[in-house]
Structures are given as C-alpha cells and as structure tokens.
Amino acid sequence: MSATTPDHVDAIVIGAGISGLAAASELAQAGCRTIVLEKSRGIGGRMATRRVGAAVCDHGAQFFTVRTRAFGATVADAQAAGAVRPWCDGFSRLADAAAALESAGDGHARWCGTRGMTDLPKRLAAGLPENLVEIRTGVRAAAVGIVAGGVMVTLEAKEGEVPRVLGARGLILSCPVPQSLDLFAAGHALGALDGAAVETLRGIDYDPCFALMLVLDRPSQVPPPGGLQFASGPISWIGDNLQKGISTVPALTLHGSGDFSRERFDADPASVTAELESLAAAWIGGATIVDRSLQRWKFAQPRVIVPAPLVSPSATPPIACCGDAFKGPRVEGAACSGQATGRWMGRLLVDGR
Ligand SMILES: Cc1cc2nc3c(=O)[nH]c(=O)nc-3n(C[C@H](O)[C@H](O)[C@H](O)COP(=O)(O)OP(=O)(O)OC[C@H]3O[C@@H](n4cnc5c(N)ncnc54)[C@H](O)[C@@H]3O)c2cc1C
C-alpha cells in the first residue's frame, strides 16, 4: 500500500520522555517547527505515574537529582510552577535485604514531582509554544527513512489504513537505543548511516525492571522519608508513595534488580508478583494488600553510557540519538542530553552549522 503525501516540518522528535521534550524546547527556541511523536497515550516515558485502585504510584523513575546548571534552570521553572519539590536528602540504604539499615541523608537533594514524576515532563510540555511544537500522543513511529533533502517517518497504521508519512529536514530519536535501531532497519536506512556511529549505538543495552505497585490497608514499615535502596539482591528499591506525598492511601512501589528482572523477564507475572511480595514482607509489615499491579520495563536503565551527549549517525540530513544512554544516566542525564541535542539540531537547521 502506498503512503500518503508527507507533512513537512523542520524537525521531528520521536519520544515525549524528558529528553525528547527537552530537545523540542531547544528546537522551539531556535524557531524550528517541530512535531513530537509519542506512542503512549500520555507523555513522560519512564517518568511514569499511575493510579492503582485508590492509590497513586510512581512506577518508573522515583526521584531525580539536580547537579548541572542547565537542568537546574528547568527544575527551578518547574518548582516555581508548583510541579516539582525537594523530597529529601537521601534514603536508607541496605547492603541486601537481610542487612541492617544505614542512615539516610547525604546532604544532596532528591527531587520529585509534586503529584507524581510525570509532573516534570508535563510542565516542560506545557511551556512549549503551540505555534512551533505539536505533540502527537498515541502515534507510534514505525520506520525512519532517508530521502533527498531530509527524513521520512512512517507512522504505524491500523489494519487496512494507508500509513501516514511525515517529512522533516532533521530527526531526533529519543527512545531507548535498540528501538531507534529497529526504526532505521524498518525504513532501510541503516546502509545510509555512518557505520562507526551505528556500531556505537549497537553497543548500548539496558537492564530490564519489574515494578510492582501494592496498595495497602495500613501504612508500611518503610522508614522515613519513604524510600529504601538495596545495593545488591533481588530488590533494588522500595518506595512509599504515601510518605512521598503523592498518594492519599498507603501504597508501595517495588523494583526488581536488573539480574532478577532479566532472569524472570518472560516468567508468569503472578509468580513474579508473589516472589516480590514475599521478598518485601518485612516492609509490607502486617498490612493487607488490597490492590496490586505489575509493570515490566524492557529498557529500564542503560548498562553502557556513551560519554557524548548525542550520537549522530547522519550529518546530511541531520539525525541524532539522545536520551539517558548519552553523557549521563537517569532523569538528569536524559534531560541534559535532550537539551544538547535540540540545541545542536537547531543550530544546524537555522544556521547550517
Ligand atoms: C523502573 C525505573 C526506575 C528508575 N528510577 C530512576 C530514579 O529513581 N531516578 C532517575 O533519575 N532515573 C530513574 N530511572 C531512569 C529514568 O526514568 C530515565 O533515565 C529517563 O526517564 C529517560 O528519559 P528518556 O527521555 O531518555 O527516555 P524515555 O522516558 O524512555 O522516553 C522515550 C519515549 O519514547 C517513546 N517511544 C519509544 N518508541 C517510540 C516510537 N516508535 N514512536 C513514538 N514514541 C516512541 C516512549 O513511549 C517514551 O515515552 C528509572 C527508570 C526505570 C524504568
């Protein structure tokens, strides 16, 4: 089936997580007309907040740090708008589930969204000028192709529908890197890309993560300020969404470690849920679990970080990959990578350098 005539913009950004939105913000500041494509119904990517029964739970990123000036400005704006706040200056740490608690607090602020972690990306999105940036949610990019004068992004179509195509002079891919490589492959673009850059991208992989959200009938045994970090063992984190202040009823978020989650990735969800609940029994205390939800993140956290803020597998047309696998990990690293990539692309599209 042939594709329809493409819409043309200056830039397309694939992914409306923190890095894609930060990139779109920089592109708008350069005056570039930009479309952001997001396959999910909502924005935020791995900064994800979900309602489970009567509770509200962050099930991806739990908190973020602010070490760089560039990200500090974004956070200061979001704080002024009431979207984010400091949570604490550290969490109780355990060497493993059986070890004694080490005291919380190292003097560095851990931040969170006021009503959930998605508040920060939502604030970034709200600040984007409507005349320059359009965010299309529920739209999955299916393939990326290179054509004369630019890029072509084919959108996933429902059965029987003609696939729509968007055209742009430049492209930023902010999804986890294996997904970006799949998009190049689907559009037969890999052969036209810089081989060394593609090799670098192929070297990036991610740990998976099971996130189990539990709604309790009474407060948990997680000590203040509501987070436990485990240095080793099957659980890496237990967060208390009531103490954090985003849920009005007691609710925990448990994260399986990378090894635990990889070994059981295709296991029966009910057995993974039962295992995590049993491992966390001491922190659930005597509470009864009144609701539960298990989420499986395939690409939770990168195992390899490329030292540059972006990798560009094509200079003409300009294409770049960004996100938390570049420059620095986690929320802050992703935001800084997105900012740097949007600035780079804006300069190329506006000044040609
Ligand atoms: C369980 C878990 C716990 C974490 N804990 C922390 C923490 O406590 N602190 C911290 O700082 N970081 C934490 N992180 C990491 C942090 O969430 C990420 O580093 C950061 O959110 C990554 O942002 P990003 O924009 O690079 O990618 P993402 O947030 O993954 O955004 C990419 C977006 O691209 C979209 N997308 C993908 N493919 C397509 C397509 N084909 N078409 C359209 N859209 C597409 C996705 O839906 C997604 O919204 C955690 C992550 C997980 C999963």
Side-chain angles (χ1 to χ4, degrees):
M1 215 175 290
S2 70
T4 55
T5 316
D7 291 337
H8 269 284
V9 285
D10 293 316
I12 293 172
V13 176
I14 299 180
I18 191 80
S19 66
L21 293 168
S25 171
E26 294 292 333
L27 284 162
Q29 282 176 46
C32 297
R33 242 169 33 87
T34 302
I35 292 178
V36 181
L37 300 174
E38 172 52 56
K39 69 178 160 92
S40 302
R41 273 180 296 143
I43 62 168
R46 281 171 276 164
M47 298 185 77
T49 308
R50 175 178 288 187
R51 190 165 270 288
V52 182
V56 174
C57 301
D58 283 327
H59 62 103
Q62 300 292 302
F63 61 89
F64 57 89
T65 52
V66 185
R67 296 194 170 90
T68 53
R69 200 183 304 164
F71 188 50
T74 303
V75 173
D77 166 78
Q79 185 181 22
V84 300
R85 58 180 160 79
W87 176 3
C88 60
D89 64 0
F91 302 99
S92 301
R93 285 172 181 274
L94 292 95
D96 59 55
L101 278 180
E102 287 171 28
S103 65
D106 59 11
H108 294 290
R110 279 28 170 216
W111 292 72
C112 63
T114 304
R115 290 161 306 154
M117 289 294 278
T118 42
D119 281 3
L120 179 60
K122 279 183 180 161
R123 170 66 200 164
L124 256 181
L128 297 173
E130 282 175 21
N131 60 329
L132 286 174
V133 182
E134 183 193 347
I135 301 177
R136 298 189 187 175
T137 53
V139 179
R140 180 193 287 266
V144 164
I146 295 181
V147 290
V151 293
M152 221 175 65
V153 177
T154 306
L155 309 182
E156 189 176 70
K158 294 200 184 82
E159 213 180 311
E161 272 182 12
V162 177
R164 281 178 56 81
V165 174
L166 302 179
R169 293 164 56 217
L171 174 69
I172 294 176
L173 299 102
S174 74
C175 30
V177 173
Q179 296 179 326
S180 299
L181 288 168
D182 286 348
L183 291 175
F184 291 133
H188 307 290
L190 280 171
L193 301 177
D194 176 69
V198 170
E199 272 319 295
T200 303
L201 294 173
R202 284 200 171 120
I204 299 171
D205 68 348
Y206 295 73
D207 271 333
C209 179
F210 278 106
L212 178 62
M213 292 155 277
L214 300 174
V215 185
L216 308 179
D217 71 340
R218 73 194 76 157
S220 78
Q221 294 300 310
V222 173
L228 281 171
Q229 288 177 313
F230 298 82
S232 62
I235 292 184
S236 59
W237 166 264
I238 303 179
D240 184 315
N241 296 289
L242 176 66
Q243 290 189 58
K244 189 179 192 178
I246 64 167
S247 182
T248 54
V249 301
L252 297 179
T253 301
L254 274 58
H255 285 160
S257 66
D259 287 344
F260 174 93
S261 303
R262 194 173 310 101
E263 280 160 20
R264 291 156 183 78
F265 196 69
D266 295 314
D268 171 28
S271 75
V272 176
T273 300
E275 199 175 350
L276 286 170
E277 284 177 10
S278 142
L279 288 162
W283 311 107
I284 295 168
T288 300
I289 299 168
V290 293
D291 252 310
R292 50 172 66 76
S293 174
L294 183 74
Q295 158 90 30
R296 196 177 65 156
W297 296 97
K298 186 169 183 189
F299 302 108
Q301 308 222 22
R303 286 150 60 87
V304 175
I305 307 288
V306 174
L310 62 95
V311 167
S312 168
S314 165
T316 317
I319 298 178
C321 294
C322 71
D324 63 345
F326 304 90
K327 185 80 172 164
R330 305 171 80 78
V331 167
E332 180 165 18
C336 291
S337 166
Q339 283 173 339
T341 308
R343 220 171 296 137
W344 173 85
M345 179 72 71
R347 269 201 314 269
L348 275 176
L349 296 178
V350 173
D351 302 335
R353 62 179 173 81

